[in-house]
Amino acid sequence: MSSDARTRDHVARQTAAGRTRKEFIRLLKRAIAREIFRYLTTPVTVPDVSGDPLQICALAGI
């Protein structure tokens, strides 16, 4: 829990609120799950790759 600044801030807030270590780990897991869910449900646009094979290679970085 000491490597990420957001996590350190979260732990500090929860400790100040009087939460136990078990409680703020539970809350931290919920916050992480919400963030991951947001990434999984956000649509991603894929560029159109039909056309010139050289352009496709350039887009792919090949």
Side-chain angles (χ1 to χ4, degrees), residues 2-58:
S2 62
S3 62
D4 186 51
R6 295 179 299 169
T7 302
R8 285 193 304 268
D9 293 341
H10 181 79
V11 170
R13 281 193 313 271
Q14 297 306 322
T15 303
R19 305 252 198 280
T20 65
R21 181 174 175 85
K22 185 176 182 178
E23 288 175 317
F24 65 70
I25 288 175
R26 179 182 62 83
L27 293 170
L28 181 61
K29 286 179 182 180
R30 290 184 67 173
I32 292 168
R34 282 193 301 270
E35 188 169 335
I36 290 172
F37 181 78
R38 206 169 342 167
Y39 282 116
L40 292 175
T41 58
T42 303
V44 177
T45 58
V46 178
D48 183 23
V49 292
S50 62
D52 183 24
L54 294 176
Q55 184 183 15
I56 295 170
C57 291

